[in-house]
Every structure is written in structure tokens, then in C-alpha cells.
Amino acid sequence: MKILVKKGNLAEAKSQAIILTFFEDQKKLAGAALQIDQKSGGLISELIKNRDFEAKQSQVSVIYTRDLLPAKRIALLGLGKSAEADLDKIRGAFAKVMQHLRSINIKEAATSIDWKLIAETKEKIVQAVVEGALLGLYQYNPYKTVGREDIKEMEQLNIICEGKDFNLIEKEVKKTQIITGAVCFVRDLVSAPSNEMTPSILAKKAQGIGRKKGITCKVLDKARMKELGMNSFLSVASGSNEEPKFIILEYSGAKKSEAPIVLVGKGLTFDSGGISIKPADKMDEMKTDMSGGAAVMGAVMAASNLQLPLNIVGLIPATENMLGGTAYRPGDILKSYSGKTIEVINTDAEGRLILADALSYASKYKPAAIIDVATLTGACIVALGDDVIGMLGTDDKLKSEINRAAKATGELVWELPLWESYSELIKSDIADYKNSGGRAAGTITAAAFLSKFVGDFPWVHLDIAGPAWRAKDITYIPKGASGVTVRLLVEFLRNRVKK
Ligand code: BES
Ligand code: MN
Ligand code: ZN
């Protein structure tokens, strides 16, 4: 959908539907709403008086203007109680109204933004409105061939403003479109089925990003990884006929001498569990096991489009985890890229094996920080549910930066402890470590395992097993791939610039 910023007055806008926001506890109409109510002979106040519209969070009521206004319809949008309003409620409400208008075959709408909605900067409010609208309208339908003519699409949203805000809004809309574009790019990658999102195809997508200014993309093939000794990663790949790829995206937005931020993403294009095979139920969802890798690609892409003055590296080990005569086995001992040895207890604990080599590889950049993103453990869903990202790490400052970005973006993050004692659970009798510590504290022992392969750099691990894939629609995340952590990482990076 296109978003155009226009100078003018909403009451004068010729539009299919003008969107007006209201609070539940709002005593009287003000601003554009008051003007429109007066011009339309009290259309809005009548609805409110009769309590057809109570302005509950994300409530939508559409009324016809019957030529009393240039606009054909008014869409009243509820924002709930004013004291409880925040950026995420704004995102959710704008997603809802746009989805509603789309469902009644409207292709174009107009709104203006009330700066008094919440106590946030104008930039953040514009961002929330645009994110809500664009992320909420996302749909994935490249494989639908029957009934394509019924697919509805919103084409245009006009943001009408006073002249003095025009530049600010236009600039912020552009930035937000870069971010939502990256989120939707990631949703597309994750939604794609594993037969059409192999490691090679994922690598091609990364090379596509690499054609952008300031980014280079290198892809290490199997032979090169063998030379380098990435045996932990290669063992996971050994059961698959698809060649593994180690994707390296380097974005240079700052001086060469400046230490980069390294983002590492788990890129399992399909996780069958390997010899320790998963149950059939929901195995199809394991096409999403590259969500972390995709999110890293999206974040690097957005950072470059925003021209952030930072150096950023994205590392994405990409492979399938399959079974077969050449597959790795429980009991195998692997020599990782770092030289440390790993006893395989469970071939389904494969994410940590590929990340181990990628995290060790990150050391060569002498990074300012390392953040890895992975659909790593089912245990994280047990602990925190479907909505929440699990965070573990060794650096309090980096964790607080992530927490700050989480609050701004509404991507919920909760920290789990990573005390040294948990490392006892991943000690192997005959190798340095084992790849599974059993059921207890599964998310933590996975992170403890990763920590053994991170050099002496500030590091945070984000487990997105829950929120990467949504079983049902929630506010501005239509069911399916969420693109989670793209906005979180971009916000984190933008905050790094401001320092
Ligand atoms: N990719 C899975 C984790 C996962 C499960 C993500 C459900 C999203 C939804 C991961 O590779 C895995 O299988 N982890 C095992 C680890 C165990 C064998 C130690 C798990 O969580 O059961
Ligand atoms: Mn697995
Ligand atoms: Zn996995």
C-alpha cells in the first residue's frame, strides 16, 4: 500500500473513508472530529450518544456521510482508555481499521494524526500509525491459484496534515516504510515452504540484499566450510541433499576502524529433528526454523536502507536437519570450528550446533557486540508462552539496550538467568560439552551451551521459538510468520547511533 502525506484538512478530504480516533473516556469532540461532526449535522455525536460507538480499543464503526462531506465515509476508531494508551495500542488500532476497510472493499483511506494521543515524540507516533497499518495489512498468498480475484488489497493511505508538520511526517513515513518493508520481507522468507526456501535459495535472497549500497554478501560453500573446520555446522547438514550455506552480510556505514555489531541468525530451512526425529504433529511448522536468520537479513537490509552510520555483520548458517544414511547420529562426537568437542545427545538440538560455529566465527570481527536470534527451544514456549522472546546473555549493558528497544517496539522480551551452575548440565563425560542438558531449564542450558563458543565480547541470545510463528491473528500480526526481532534489532541499532 502506498502512503502519501498531503497538506490540508481532513474535513475537506475527498476520500473513500476518513479515519478518526477516539478515546473511551473522551468527554467531548475536538479538532478534526468536532469540525467534521458540525459539518455533517452531528453524524458522529449521534452515534456516540446512542452508544453504537464506545471507542473501545480497536473498535471500528463506519458511517456514510451522504454528501454532507467530500469524504464518502467516516471510520470511527476506538483507542480505549486514554490513560492506558501506548504505541502498541495505536499500532493495533490502525491495523484493525485498515483490515476492516479492506474487508469492505475500500481501496483508499485518509487520516490525520493527533499529536495529543499519547506522550511520545511526533516521530514515534507517526511510526506507530504507519507500522500498524502496513504490518496489519500483510497477507501471504503467492500459492493461492483458486479465487485469486477475491483477494482484497488496500491501495493507498493519505495522511493529511498541517503544513508545518509535513516534512517531519514525510521523513518518518519513509523511514517506517523501510522498517515495515524489512519485516514483510522476512515474513515472506519464513512463510515460504521448505521446498522453495532451501539454504541455496536463502543465500540467493541474501545476495539480493548484497547488491544494495554499502553491503557485501559472501556465501561460504561446503568445501570452504570443511577447510575452515566448521564441523559442528556441517554435521547437522550431513543428512540433507541440500548443500549448506554460510551466509555473510557485511554492511559498512561507519569508518573501517569501528568495531562492528555482529548479528547471528539460526537458518534451519527445515528441522525434521534428524535421527532423533520429531513427532509428525506440527512438523510442518519447522519450515520456520530459519526465522532468526531471516530476521538478521531483514535487520541488515533495513540498517543499510536507513543508512545507519554503523558497521554491521550478519552471519546466517543455513541448512536442513534431515535423516538418512549420511546423517549425523546421537553419540557422535564433533570437533567444532573453535576446536572444542561436542557429544551429540540429540540430533534435534541442532540449532546450537550450527550457532556454535557461527558464534566462534564472529570473533574474527572483534565485534562491539554479538546478538544471536534463534527459534532455539520448545522449552522457551513452555516457559514464556507464544508472545515473548527469551533473552539470555553475559552483558548487562547490552541486555538493557535490548530491553529499551523491546519497550519501544512492543516486541516483548523477558530475561532468563544464565548462572554458571547451569553449565554443569551440559558437561559431557567424554567430550567438552554435550548438545542437550535434558528437560530441565531447556532454554537456559541451550544458551549456556552457546556461551561456550562466544569469545570475550558482549553477547546476548534471543530465543524466538514462541513469537516467530503465530497460530492466530493478533492485532498487527496476521497469523503466520511475524517477522519478530526485525523492529527490535533496528530500534536497538538506531539507539546505538544516537549515543
Ligand atoms: N527448532 C526447534 C525448537 C522449536 C520448537 C522452535 C518448537 C519452534 C517451535 C529446536 O531445534 C529443537 O528441536 N529443540 C529441541 C531441543 C531439545 C532436543 C534439547 C526442543 O526444544 O525440544
Ligand atoms: Mn531441532
Ligand atoms: Zn531447530
Side-chain angles (χ1 to χ4, degrees):
M1 181 183 67
K2 268 195 304 198
I3 298 187
L4 300 179
V5 186
K6 294 178 175 170
K7 288 180 200 167
N9 182 333
L10 198 57
E12 310 294 337
K14 201 167 155 13
S15 169
Q16 287 296 304
I18 47 176
I19 301 166
L20 291 172
T21 54
F22 298 88
F23 286 119
E24 219 177 302
D25 49 345
Q26 193 174 321
K27 291 280 177 294
K28 36 182 206 289
L29 300 178
L34 179 63
Q35 217 183 339
I36 289 166
D37 192 53
Q38 285 168 347
K39 268 189 85 170
S40 65
L43 273 181
I44 300 174
S45 43
E46 185 181 358
L47 222 76
I48 293 176
K49 195 177 84 222
N50 292 315
R51 305 195 64 206
D52 290 34
F53 178 73
E54 296 177 294
K56 300 272 188 222
Q57 171 62 30
S58 296
Q59 187 187 356
V60 178
S61 288
V62 177
I63 45 182
Y64 275 84
T65 61
R66 292 260 174 125
D67 294 332
L68 295 167
L69 291 174
K72 187 156 183 184
R73 300 174 191 81
I74 304 171
L76 308 182
L77 174 59
L79 286 176
K81 298 195 176 70
S82 56
E84 290 169 12
D86 61 17
L87 292 170
D88 225 43
K89 295 238 168 71
I90 293 178
R91 288 184 196 104
F94 274 87
K96 195 62 195 277
V97 72
M98 297 306 282
Q99 289 165 352
H100 183 81
L101 295 177
R102 179 177 63 189
S103 77
I104 57 173
N105 294 307
I106 289 174
K107 303 230 173 289
E108 171 277 329
T111 193
S112 50
I113 302 176
D114 179 0
W115 303 126
K116 292 191 288 292
L117 286 181
I118 51 170
E120 288 281 355
T121 61
K122 289 182 175 181
E123 285 84 355
K124 283 235 150 72
I125 297 174
V126 176
Q127 186 178 352
V129 167
V130 174
E131 282 179 342
L134 290 173
L135 296 177
L137 285 173
Y138 174 82
Q139 37 191 355
Y140 184 76
N141 46 32
Y143 294 97
K144 289 273 185 207
T145 65
V146 179
R148 274 202 85 80
E149 60 282 2
D150 295 334
I151 295 173
K152 294 170 177 165
E153 203 92 58
M154 201 72 193
E155 285 164 8
Q156 190 171 324
L157 175 65
N158 299 308
I159 299 180
I160 316 282
C161 66
E162 286 176 30
K164 68 173 176 21
D165 292 322
F166 182 85
N167 287 336
L168 180 148
I169 296 178
E170 191 158 68
K171 212 166 127 196
E172 205 52 37
V173 166
K174 286 218 174 79
K175 286 187 191 167
T176 307
Q177 282 171 319
I178 289 173
I179 297 168
T180 57
V183 174
C184 295
F185 168 77
V186 171
R187 288 176 177 179
D188 284 347
L189 294 182
V190 175
S191 299
S194 298
N195 58 330
E196 302 214 1
M197 192 45 67
T198 61
S200 304
I201 297 173
L202 193 66
K204 285 233 169 66
K205 297 280 180 191
Q207 274 156 344
I209 299 173
R211 279 190 278 278
K212 294 214 158 69
K213 216 177 107 231
I215 302 187
T216 59
C217 177
K218 280 183 275 186
V219 178
L220 310 185
D221 62 10
K222 193 167 155 184
R224 181 68 190 128
M225 287 189 272
K226 242 187 201 139
E227 273 170 24
L228 289 170
M230 293 186 161
N231 301 310
S232 186
F233 176 25
L234 288 175
S235 300
V236 173
S238 62
S240 171
N241 292 336
E242 291 292 337
E243 209 191 308
K245 302 284 175 190
F246 191 86
I247 302 166
I248 304 170
L249 284 165
E250 296 176 350
Y251 165 65
S252 9
K255 284 201 298 276
K256 255 207 162 82
S257 57
E258 201 168 299
I261 294 158
V262 178
L263 308 175
V264 181
K266 173 176 173 180
L268 258 294
T269 62
F270 186 69
D271 178 13
S272 71
I275 302 290
S276 316
I277 193 168
K278 286 181 180 296
D281 188 37
K282 291 197 186 168
M283 201 202 270
D284 57 300
E285 285 182 15
M286 284 301 117
K287 71 173 184 179
T288 68
D289 214 16
M290 33 61 80
S291 297
V296 165
M297 285 166 54
V300 175
M301 177 170 117
S304 110
N305 285 336
L306 291 167
Q307 297 182 292
L308 298 186
L310 297 169
N311 293 330
I312 304 167
V313 176
L315 301 177
I316 302 120
T319 179
E320 289 185 331
N321 182 23
M322 300 293 271
L323 329 73
T326 55
Y328 77 133
R329 295 153 285 251
D332 284 1
I333 293 180
L334 322 171
K335 196 177 183 74
S336 69
Y337 176 71
S338 70
K340 292 177 179 170
T341 56
I342 303 164
E343 182 186 8
V344 177
I345 300 298
N346 189 317
T347 62
D348 197 13
E350 84 298 337
R352 65 199 75 183
L353 295 176
I354 71 167
L355 291 174
D357 282 351
L359 288 166
S360 306
Y361 188 85
S363 290
K364 88 176 197 130
Y365 293 97
K366 304 204 168 28
I370 305 175
I371 301 171
D372 77 77
V373 188
T375 46
L376 203 63
T377 63
C380 198
I381 307 175
V382 176
L384 299 175
D386 287 331
D387 297 338
V388 181
I389 301 165
M391 171 169 74
L392 302 100
T394 49
D395 190 83
D396 287 339
K397 196 180 138 277
L398 191 56
K399 284 187 281 196
S400 74
E401 288 178 79
I402 295 289
N403 269 325
R404 183 178 159 209
K407 289 208 177 77
T409 55
E411 299 201 313
L412 304 175
V413 169
W414 197 256
E415 187 183 357
L416 296 171
L418 191 53
W419 293 307
E420 192 48 42
S421 55
Y422 287 107
S423 292
E424 289 301 316
L425 297 169
I426 50 155
K427 274 191 183 150
S428 161
D429 290 336
I430 54 172
D432 294 327
Y433 308 109
K434 54 186 180 184
N435 79 331
S436 169
R439 279 173 62 83
T443 303
I444 300 175
T445 54
F449 180 91
L450 297 181
S451 73
K452 306 300 175 195
F453 298 89
V454 181
D456 198 11
F457 305 99
W459 162 71
V460 156
H461 159 64
L462 301 173
D463 193 328
I464 58 167
W469 181 257
R470 314 308 311 235
K472 53 179 197 303
D473 292 334
I474 45 157
T475 62
Y476 54 95
I477 308 174
K479 84 175 174 195
S482 65
V484 74
T485 70
V486 172
R487 291 187 305 117
L488 176 84
L489 290 172
V490 172
E491 179 70 14
F492 159 81
L493 294 167
R494 288 173 90 181
N495 288 338
R496 277 250 155 167
V497 174
K498 285 175 199 152
K499 277 192 306 198

